[in-house]
Amino acid sequence: MANERDLKLLAKVTPDWRQGESRQTPLDQWVKATGLTRRSVQYWLQRLEKDKWIKWQSRRGRGHIPDFTLLKKPDEWLQDQALNLMELGESREALNLVSSDQRSTLLERYLNRGLTDNQDLVQVLYIPFYRAIHDLNPRTATRRTEGHILDHLHRGLLAFDPDTQKLVPSIAHHWQTKPNGYRFFLRKNIFFHNGEQLTAACVKEAFRAPSHSNHANDIHFNIIKSVSVINDWTVDILLKWHSPIFLHILTLSVFAITKKDEKHHYPIGCGPFKLLEQTPERTVLQSFDLFFGYRPYLDRVEFWTLKNSRVHLDINAHIISARDGKGLSGDYKNVRKLEVGAHYLVFNQKKRKSGFSQLSVRQYLAGMLDKSKLLSGYKEKFVEASCFEPQRQGPAHAATTSKHRPFTNLSIVTYKLNSNLELASWIQECLSQHNIQSKLTILNYPEFCQRENRIKHDIVLAGEVFDEDKLLSYFDFFMANSVVTDFLPKPARQQLEGWVRKATVAVEEAEMMDKLRNVEVQAIKNLFWLPLFHHRQHMLVSSKIKDNEINAFGWLNFDRIWLEH
């Protein structure tokens, strides 16, 4: 019986054959085309003929060439098989089943089928994306899209409600303040995505400090002194230094209650969606029926990596970036939001040759950057920033002179993102007008995250986006942003940490927020980092999506929206 490999081989060697077409083809030609031995080719042709894919008529006598008739084209069958694999979540196997020039057709058929078949029964959100989804480990993920996905895969002891701006129960239904920490009371009948029940022992294991890891997120574990299991549904957490900021820290994905599972590459969670598939081509989230909260109305969310080939996005996609959506004819709503956060520069104070260890030198370079030149061409995309919150005014850095001019050639590094490339070009232009040459290095984001790839450069261009919990966002940036801390000498790093600790001792959150904002002002005055521009998110959202309010990360909350057909 012919198998998939036989049919893939047939499709490969008969791309220009029509169904029913006959050709005289020497056996040696099949041997050359397939790369098989003569005997293997004979067995291959026999299997195909037995299943009525071809008709093979051998002619007797020297010089007589066999007749081959292609009874059925294998492409459609392979496409159908690939579609079935797509439904089963096996996108890599599905894409490998068809030739590279057939993959766009396969994606279009799949997406079209998803939007038409069972539309009243199955709710699937399709998102074409410009890159593959990277790290989905809650301990190490740093990108905003990955963070947004993790928010749907995992839950922590507490959550932050963006509507009320308050902490609310999640896995813990109640908590009490103790002299040196907190006691948490867990909900019963919470299940991980593999069906195992969550207990206090799982919380203790999830809060185990990482060993032999130098990730910036690890610093958050330094506040924990011990975790004790009182019973299956009660856990005590003692702190090295007591601060209400700890309750906000618990909402970070790094403190999601996870469980290791041999069948999964990443730790599994107990959130409203579970990770069904993650490949370079596709990432699929599926609603979790045993979720302890409200089940999402969406059944599935699919991210498709579409770098070069473009299917009919206006037919097949629900959320599209404005960059990819030019010229769409579908019914889409323009959704814009000015992000809280900013693109910023960090000067390498540890690199002696650059001279950035001196504040006057950092001020000198900061004064060279003429923001008005960039804004003249990108008013719809960028807004000038002097601190992270758009409505606030931070310290200004006017043009100045320096007694020292130690640098003539600077090395700048950033990661691959359109807005970063635009800003990097502007920075280089500003520097060149002061006769300063610069070399730009552009890394893929996973490589950019590796300290050794950044530390050798003079300047880093990066970006920070605050989520709805601004108090936590400030604290997390100050304490766990390795882009900043890697470039600060030890005294400056200790000074920043000292400011933050004093600010977070405050009991009232409003007072704590004021003090953290003052920390930001002091850090920018010292040019530990230099805010450049706020970014305005711009997305095209299908009219089929309801409750389409964009969140702080520039995304829609998948557990709140639904599709109207």
Side-chain angles (χ1 to χ4, degrees):
M1 183 175 178
N3 55 33
E4 289 178 359
R5 182 174 177 272
D6 293 333
L7 295 177
K8 283 181 66 177
L9 205 53
L10 179 61
K12 178 183 175 181
V13 299
T14 61
D16 58 339
W17 288 48
R18 298 186 305 274
Q19 186 168 321
E21 181 179 355
S22 297
R23 296 185 187 182
Q24 289 185 345
T25 312
L27 197 62
D28 288 342
Q29 186 171 324
W30 292 117
V31 171
K32 184 178 180 180
T34 61
L36 301 175
T37 64
R38 189 178 182 88
R39 175 171 289 186
S40 295
V41 165
Q42 289 174 327
Y43 288 141
W44 171 62
L45 293 172
Q46 288 171 4
R47 291 193 297 271
L48 292 172
E49 185 175 39
K50 185 177 181 180
D51 285 353
K52 296 186 168 59
W53 287 98
I54 65 167
K55 185 178 180 181
W56 175 29
Q57 187 173 354
S58 179
R59 295 188 176 187
R60 295 183 179 277
R62 186 183 299 275
H64 292 286
I65 301 175
D67 279 330
F68 290 89
T69 303
L70 184 65
L71 300 178
K72 295 184 291 185
K73 290 278 287 182
D75 305 76
E76 288 187 11
W77 185 89
L78 290 170
Q79 287 261 350
D80 290 341
Q81 290 297 106
L83 280 174
N84 291 333
L85 287 172
M86 290 280 200
E87 288 293 338
L88 294 173
E90 305 290 343
S91 65
R92 180 169 289 185
E93 289 78 2
L95 293 171
N96 286 337
L97 199 57
V98 298
S99 60
S100 57
D101 60 338
Q102 291 288 317
R103 288 176 182 172
S104 292
T105 303
L106 172 62
L107 293 181
E108 186 172 345
R109 286 185 64 191
Y110 174 75
L111 294 176
N112 271 327
R113 186 168 78 165
L115 289 175
T116 55
D117 292 356
N118 300 321
Q119 63 180 21
D120 294 327
L121 300 177
V122 180
Q123 293 248 327
V124 184
L125 186 71
Y126 294 106
I127 305 172
F129 206 51
Y130 71 97
R131 63 169 175 84
I133 301 299
H134 295 145
D135 186 7
L136 288 179
N137 186 331
R139 284 280 180 97
T140 56
T142 53
R143 299 203 80 166
R144 73 171 77 177
T145 296
E146 281 74 0
H148 181 64
I149 292 173
L150 288 170
D151 285 345
H152 293 81
L153 296 177
H154 298 279
R155 285 294 182 265
L157 291 176
L158 306 179
F160 185 81
D161 185 344
D163 296 328
T164 64
Q165 292 288 297
K166 292 185 180 298
L167 293 167
V168 294
S170 184
I171 289 174
H173 66 83
H174 181 64
W175 64 93
Q176 294 175 346
T177 302
K178 295 171 68 72
N180 297 310
Y182 296 92
R183 171 166 290 184
F184 296 92
F185 302 89
L186 311 185
R187 300 181 194 272
K188 297 182 179 180
N189 294 323
I190 294 181
F191 297 93
F192 290 106
H193 294 154
N194 64 356
E196 294 185 30
Q197 192 170 30
L198 185 153
T199 63
C202 302
V203 175
K204 181 175 181 177
E205 180 62 28
F207 281 16
R208 188 185 299 275
S211 58
H212 308 297
S213 170
N214 292 318
H215 197 277
N217 287 338
D218 297 349
I219 195 170
H220 291 309
F221 289 88
N222 292 345
I223 194 174
I224 298 176
K225 183 177 181 180
S226 65
V227 181
S228 303
V229 174
I230 307 305
N231 56 48
D232 281 350
W233 317 114
T234 311
V235 61
D236 280 355
I237 300 179
L238 299 184
L239 306 178
K240 295 176 183 176
W241 51 283
H242 202 297
S243 170
I245 193 67
F246 177 68
L247 296 177
H248 290 262
I249 293 173
L250 289 179
T251 68
L252 289 169
S253 62
V254 68
F255 283 115
I257 309 305
T258 62
K259 191 174 186 64
K260 293 181 179 179
D261 187 281
E262 293 181 357
K263 296 180 181 179
H264 297 84
H265 177 68
Y266 295 118
I268 59 172
C270 59
F273 288 87
K274 62 182 179 181
L275 185 63
L276 183 65
E277 175 188 351
Q278 189 193 19
T279 67
E281 297 80 20
R282 184 172 76 152
T283 296
V284 181
L285 314 183
Q286 182 171 295
S287 62
F288 182 46
D289 290 336
L290 296 180
F291 178 55
F292 63 90
Y294 293 110
R295 183 198 184 278
Y297 198 76
L298 290 178
D299 296 294
R300 205 161 66 240
V301 179
E302 299 188 6
F303 287 82
W304 284 91
T305 307
L306 298 175
K307 296 179 181 178
N308 299 317
S309 66
R310 171 172 168 158
V311 297
H312 299 308
L313 294 180
D314 52 339
I315 299 175
N316 304 312
H318 295 113
I319 302 175
I320 308 169
S321 71
R323 180 191 64 186
D324 296 329
K326 294 178 180 178
L328 291 184
S329 59
D331 187 7
Y332 288 89
K333 175 184 176 183
N334 276 287
V335 180
R336 299 174 186 267
K337 185 166 186 174
L338 185 62
E339 293 177 345
V340 178
H343 295 277
Y344 62 92
L345 290 184
V346 184
F347 305 109
N348 192 346
Q349 298 185 41
K350 293 181 177 179
K351 198 172 179 182
R352 292 184 178 180
K353 288 184 179 180
S354 67
F356 286 138
S357 59
Q358 301 176 56
L359 176 58
S360 62
V361 176
R362 301 197 297 275
Q363 290 171 332
Y364 176 54
L365 191 139
M368 296 179 187
L369 303 178
D370 185 354
K371 295 181 180 180
S372 63
K373 288 186 176 180
L374 182 84
L375 291 175
S376 63
Y378 292 96
K379 287 183 179 179
E380 293 297 316
K381 188 170 186 177
F382 297 118
V383 175
E384 185 173 347
S386 58
C387 58
F388 284 125
E389 294 181 74
Q391 70 274 21
R392 292 181 58 240
Q393 187 66 38
H397 296 280
T400 184
T401 58
S402 174
K403 295 179 181 178
H404 310 281
R405 196 164 159 218
F407 46 77
T408 55
N409 198 332
L410 293 174
S411 174
I412 304 171
V413 65
T414 190
Y415 51 91
K416 193 178 294 184
L417 190 68
N418 274 1
S419 55
N420 283 358
L421 303 185
E422 292 158 355
L423 291 176
S425 177
W426 161 73
I427 291 167
Q428 288 188 294
E429 182 182 347
C430 291
L431 294 178
S432 67
Q433 290 179 355
H434 289 78
N435 298 318
I436 298 172
Q437 300 302 312
S438 58
K439 179 183 178 182
L440 176 64
T441 299
I442 303 168
L443 301 174
N444 289 321
Y445 191 77
E447 287 73 42
F448 177 83
C449 289
Q450 297 174 17
R451 181 180 183 275
E452 61 271 17
N453 293 334
R454 299 191 306 261
I455 199 65
K456 57 188 177 183
H457 296 279
D458 300 304
I459 300 173
V460 171
L461 169 61
E464 180 73 12
V465 180
F466 280 16
D467 66 15
E468 283 88 352
D469 188 349
K470 292 189 182 71
L471 190 71
L472 176 62
S473 295
Y474 273 115
F475 181 86
D476 190 43
F477 180 83
F478 296 152
M479 299 295 284
N481 188 318
S482 61
V483 174
V484 172
T485 56
D486 283 349
F487 276 17
L488 292 179
K490 188 174 182 180
R493 193 169 62 249
Q494 291 175 335
Q495 184 180 35
L496 179 60
E497 290 178 5
W499 291 341
V500 174
R501 287 206 179 192
K502 286 182 180 178
T504 52
V505 169
V507 176
E508 294 295 331
E509 291 193 358
E511 181 185 353
M512 198 186 306
M513 176 65 81
D514 288 340
K515 290 187 175 182
L516 286 174
R517 285 171 173 154
N518 288 334
V519 170
E520 179 190 26
V521 170
Q522 291 302 316
I524 295 173
K525 279 183 178 179
N526 285 274
L527 280 176
F528 290 173
W529 60 86
L530 174 65
L532 296 175
F533 297 97
H534 304 295
H535 187 263
R536 185 177 280 110
Q537 278 287 349
H538 184 193
M539 300 182 71
L540 300 178
V541 178
S542 169
S543 61
K544 297 182 178 71
I545 295 180
K546 303 304 173 185
D547 196 6
N548 54 18
E549 183 178 351
I550 195 168
N551 66 17
F553 287 128
W555 279 103
L556 304 178
N557 292 321
F558 304 144
D559 53 350
R560 298 178 66 169
I561 63 176
W562 72 96
L563 302 176
E564 184 175 80
H565 297 288

